[in-house]
Amino acid sequence: MNKFDERYEIRLAKYSDIEMIMAFLNEHWREGHIMAINRELFEYEYVNEEIVNFVIAIDKVSGLLEGIFGFLNCSHPNNIDKRDIWGSMWKVVDTRENMPFLGIELAKRVVELTKCRTQIGNGANPRTTIPLRKMFFKETVGKMQHFYFLNDTIDNFKIAKIERINHSENKAKKRTNLIRLNSIEEVTKNFNLDNIDSIPYKDSWYIEKRYFKHPIYQYEVYGIKDKNKIGALLVWREVIQNDTKIIRIMDFLGNESLFEGLYDDFKKLFVERNIEYIDFYAYGFNNDYILNAGFILRIEDDRNVIPNYFEPFLQANVDIWVHHKLPNTKFFKADGDQDRPNSMVKKM
């Protein structure tokens, strides 16, 4: 017990705390935020049986909820040896006289209470969270790199803002193929998730929950086949905006070198699905494999605009900041809470 425990009850949230947490989010995070008004999505994201993935601080005198630290599991909660978690919603009430560094204490407690191997962050605020993670946790911080592959047969882009068409090149040394996998059973039959040594560890429970059972978004899961063997998984999602479509690559697991062999498959998608472009946010991934597959790296002050926000739609380039402690940590667009609905949309 320390000084924080004298004033606050700090613990993992319970199912009975959900209403209180959602009200907190509505008042202190953002009024009308989807996690404050959509109970179904809140439970999908944060509830595992009776455990709710928030560390909370309740003032012992007033009984008021004063701070939260939300987190998301990368694998089944019962996984002990390789349990990694993403940080999510992190907030302390700043209009009341709370103890200094209560937020830092909550971030420390999440590691103690979950007994996770590592807690990593995707989509961190570069003005607040990033300096705190560097100063108090001695973590590595950085920006995800944003790659895009334009359909160069289009003259009028409606989602992207293109001032200069970048014609892609196929620089791959070999060709690989995409095989659609329609269930977690097909995934585990064709691909061994346990052979992946990068961080975070994502198991079959996570893949099924995140991509096959999402209550709103529809994801597509593919195996990347080299000769007769699937050596990697690729996940993407179609996004419809302004009466046209794009494909956003959301996740990748396995042998990175297989990605560069997909140039022909990507070019085929432009014709078959009539999409404007494909984009791919990544951190810790070998850039050469992405560039060899026909993608272009969006550079600082790029005159081409490849949007990230769609709910609501914002035609602007966006940097996504990350933080981590352990080497060989990788980040992709769907990690953490970076690809979740922000408005009350129906399942597509």
Side-chain angles (χ1 to χ4, degrees):
M1 180 175 288
N2 60 25
K3 60 182 180 179
F4 292 100
D5 294 297
E6 295 174 7
R7 178 169 172 181
Y8 305 98
E9 178 188 1
I10 300 178
R11 58 172 172 81
L12 284 171
K14 303 172 184 175
Y15 194 79
S16 57
D17 296 319
I18 292 176
E19 189 174 333
M20 176 176 64
I21 295 170
M22 292 180 71
F24 180 97
L25 293 173
N26 197 57
E27 182 176 357
H28 301 292
W29 187 267
R30 189 173 78 240
E31 184 178 1
H33 189 279
I34 194 166
M35 288 300 160
I37 60 177
N38 189 325
R39 176 80 179 236
E40 179 191 4
L41 189 61
F42 182 98
E43 292 199 24
Y44 166 80
E45 291 274 4
Y46 292 108
V47 177
N48 300 290
E49 297 175 351
E50 289 297 307
I51 299 298
V52 179
N53 291 347
F54 276 86
V55 175
I56 60 176
I58 300 173
D59 189 290
K60 290 182 176 180
V61 175
S62 69
L64 295 175
L65 179 58
E66 297 291 353
I68 61 168
F69 189 104
F71 61 92
L72 299 163
N73 293 304
C74 309
S75 60
H76 193 281
N78 291 339
N79 173 31
I80 298 174
D81 297 331
K82 295 190 290 185
R83 186 180 187 188
D84 304 319
I85 62 173
W86 288 293
S88 184
M89 309 175 94
W90 184 18
K91 178 68 177 178
V92 169
V93 178
D94 52 15
T95 56
R96 296 194 282 263
E97 294 182 0
N98 280 298
M99 292 176 64
F101 305 115
L102 175 59
I104 300 300
E105 183 67 16
L106 291 176
K108 292 178 180 178
R109 292 292 180 97
V110 73
V111 176
E112 297 174 15
L113 291 170
T114 62
K115 297 179 174 56
C116 63
R117 174 173 61 174
T118 187
Q119 185 264 303
I120 55 184
N122 190 18
N125 189 316
R127 296 184 301 276
T128 55
T129 302
I130 291 297
L132 291 174
R133 301 305 303 200
K134 285 179 67 177
M135 182 184 303
F136 290 98
F137 298 90
K138 311 301 179 188
E139 292 181 343
T140 300
V141 302
K143 287 188 293 187
M144 296 178 73
Q145 293 180 301
H146 193 190
F147 301 87
Y148 60 99
F149 191 156
L150 296 177
N151 183 347
D152 56 16
T153 66
I154 292 179
D155 295 323
N156 181 27
F157 286 84
K158 297 179 180 179
I159 296 177
K161 182 180 178 182
I162 304 300
E163 293 192 15
R164 180 170 59 89
I165 290 283
N166 299 299
H167 295 280
S168 59
E169 293 182 60
N170 182 4
K171 301 176 183 177
K173 299 172 183 174
K174 60 181 177 181
R175 184 182 176 188
T176 52
N177 299 99
L178 290 172
I179 307 295
R180 181 75 182 265
L181 302 173
N182 295 298
S183 66
I184 191 61
E185 289 76 22
E186 289 187 17
V187 170
T188 55
K189 180 182 177 181
N190 292 281
F191 186 73
N192 188 349
L193 291 162
D194 290 328
N195 281 347
I196 301 171
D197 61 358
S198 60
I199 294 170
Y201 168 64
K202 300 171 182 176
D203 63 2
S204 59
W205 172 88
Y206 171 81
I207 300 298
E208 181 177 38
K209 179 179 186 289
R210 184 69 181 84
Y211 301 123
F212 290 110
K213 291 187 174 181
H214 197 279
I216 296 174
Y217 286 158
Q218 183 174 353
Y219 294 92
E220 298 179 42
V221 180
Y222 291 85
I224 305 180
K225 194 172 185 180
D226 180 25
K227 297 178 181 176
N228 295 316
K229 180 183 178 183
I230 290 178
L233 296 182
L234 184 68
V235 182
W236 72 54
R237 181 168 70 84
E238 276 193 4
V239 175
I240 300 173
Q241 182 70 42
N242 297 347
D243 298 320
T244 188
K245 293 186 296 185
I246 61 169
I247 282 178
R248 311 202 69 189
I249 295 176
M250 294 293 173
D251 206 347
F252 185 97
L253 297 90
N255 183 351
E256 294 179 9
S257 70
L258 301 183
F259 187 90
E260 71 173 9
L262 294 175
Y263 178 90
D264 291 337
D265 286 74
F266 291 140
K267 291 288 280 188
K268 229 187 287 184
L269 283 171
F270 293 139
V271 177
E272 293 174 353
R273 304 210 186 182
N274 192 28
I275 59 173
E276 276 196 9
Y277 64 86
I278 304 167
D279 81 325
F280 185 18
Y281 276 97
Y283 178 96
F285 200 103
N286 188 316
N287 284 6
D288 290 342
Y289 297 138
I290 304 175
L291 298 172
N292 289 350
F295 285 74
I296 295 153
L297 175 62
R298 177 174 65 78
I299 58 174
E300 198 76 27
D301 301 322
D302 200 324
R303 290 186 300 170
N304 289 344
V305 174
I306 311 297
N308 181 51
Y309 295 135
F310 288 85
E311 297 175 29
F313 178 60
L314 176 64
Q315 196 175 50
N317 288 327
V318 175
D319 291 326
I320 301 178
W321 285 80
V322 301
H323 62 84
H324 65 97
K325 185 166 283 187
L326 300 180
N328 202 25
T329 300
K330 302 181 188 300
F331 291 89
F332 302 101
K333 180 68 178 75
D335 289 350
D337 56 14
Q338 287 305 290
D339 189 53
R340 73 174 175 206
N342 285 314
S343 60
M344 300 292 282
V345 293
K346 295 180 180 179
K347 184 177 178 68
M348 292 186 295

